[in-house]
């Protein structure tokens, strides 16, 4: 939260760092809730950071930006101090802790069929979700729906508020439920959020409809994030063994880096050339296909990996 409060732009990348750390600092059955809480705190930090930045920065005073960067620089040191108080986190497993001494490689990671399916789901949903939310949403809202940048900014505030206020509740409700189905619902909700945005663009002449559609898109997308953020890392770590856990998580982090390129390469040319409807159609279909991938994943998982209660065996 400390780090996110000073640099909102790096929020989703920072969330990936919490995956392995969450594994080391929480019991197995608690990981899912830890990931959800971490995501909620990160978004709270983003909101606080945005407010602080708004009070400090002044376009008429270049010195205010120097002060902002100074605060940002100092903020990098604060998490280090916190981490120094928990030195047991992140230590390499010894043989006595369950390690085998052989780390394995990425070939072994991708030999896991369930993880390959999860990786494909992650690529598709982040390409049609996060990557487009950061680029496509403001471009479509301002260029097609013709709302102001202030409306877009308030939409992003609504997104942060929904996540901060509902993440812990959603995480508790997801406990003991199928992770693959929750991820499928996240894909459907992402598709719904883009449909709402597209409807606002189609009805831009109907008074406040585009404004309401922009707010609704951002808020509904936040609901998908509350499903996605605890379930994806929890499932990734459920598929991993201790020796390969860091590699599983690094591949999961790679997804966000790769798909961050997709937003500018798709949204900008399509929306900029008057093909906003095509862009909406692509991201909606992408969300639906991601949901289908998540549902197909269920058959590759054990009940324990999927987060479902393990059936009790009855002794004769």
């Amino acid at each position: 939260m400390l780090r996110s409060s000073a640099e909102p732009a790096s929020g989703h990348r920072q969330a990936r760092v919490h995956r392995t750390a969450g594994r080391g600092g929480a019991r197995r059955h608690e990981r899912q809730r830890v990931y959800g809480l971490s995501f909620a705190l990160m978004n709270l930090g983003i909101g606080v950071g945005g407010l602080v930045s708004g009070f400090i920065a002044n376009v008429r005073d270049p010195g205010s930006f120097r002060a902002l960067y100074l605060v940002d620089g100092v903020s990098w040191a604060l998490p280090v101090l916190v981490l120094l108080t928990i030195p047991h986190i992140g230590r390499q497993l010894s043989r006595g802790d369950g390690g085998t001494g052989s780390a394995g490689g990425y070939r072994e990671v991708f030999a896991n069929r369930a993880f390959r399916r999860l990786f494909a789901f992650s690529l598709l949903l982040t390409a049609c979700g996060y990557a487009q939310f950061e680029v496509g949403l403001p471009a479509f809202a301002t260029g097609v729906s013709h709302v102001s940048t202030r409306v877009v900014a308030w939409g992003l505030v609504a997104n942060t508020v929904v996540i901060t206020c509902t993440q812990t509740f959603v995480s508790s409700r997801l406990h003991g439920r199928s992770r693959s189905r929750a991820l499928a619902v996240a894909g459907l909700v992402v598709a719904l959020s883009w449909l709402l945005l597209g409807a606002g663009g189609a009805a831009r002449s109907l008074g406040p409809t585009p404004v309401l559609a922009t707010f609704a898109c951002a808020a509904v997308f936040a609901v998908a994030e509350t499903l996605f953020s605890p379930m994806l890392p929890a499932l990734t770590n459920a598929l991993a063994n201790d020796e390969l856990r860091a590699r599983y998580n690094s591949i999961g982090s790679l997804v966000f880096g790769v798909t961050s390129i997709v937003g500018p390469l798709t949204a900008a040319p399509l929306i900029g050339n008057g093909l906003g409807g095509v862009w909406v159609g692509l991201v909606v279909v992408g969300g639906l296909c991601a949901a289908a991938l998540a549902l197909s994943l269920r058959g590759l998982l054990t009940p324990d990996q999927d987060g479902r209660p393990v059936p009790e065996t009855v002794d004769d």
Side-chain angles (χ1 to χ4, degrees), residues 68-80:
L68 184 60
Y69 292 139
L70 179 61
V71 171
D72 181 55
V74 172
S75 73
W76 279 95
L78 298 179
V80 175

Side-chain angles (χ1 to χ4, degrees), residues 32-57:
Q32 190 169 294
R33 293 182 179 180
V34 169
Y35 294 130
L37 179 61
S38 174
F39 188 67
L41 290 175
M42 183 197 70
N43 277 273
L44 177 60
I46 290 174
V48 172
L51 290 174
V52 171
S53 300
F55 280 112
I56 295 176

Side-chain angles (χ1 to χ4, degrees), residues 190-208:
V190 165
L192 174 61
S193 69
W194 296 133
L195 280 174
L196 291 171
L197 184 67
R204 55 182 174 270
S205 61
L206 299 180

Side-chain angles (χ1 to χ4, degrees), residues 107-172:
R107 180 179 296 180
E108 187 175 345
V109 174
F110 280 105
N112 187 328
R113 185 183 176 192
F115 181 73
R116 292 199 306 269
R117 189 71 57 86
L118 181 64
F119 179 70
F121 162 82
S122 301
L123 276 175
L124 186 56
L125 189 63
T126 53
C128 298
Y130 285 123
Q132 304 299 335
F133 189 78
E134 296 177 356
V135 178
L137 170 61
F140 188 93
T142 58
V144 179
S145 299
H146 301 305
V147 301
S148 67
T149 54
R150 180 169 294 183
V151 169
V152 176
W154 279 109
L156 298 179
V157 170
N159 175 269
T160 300
V161 169
V162 170
I163 293 172
T164 304
C165 295
T166 65
Q167 181 66 78
T168 54
F169 171 76
V170 172
S171 295
S172 65

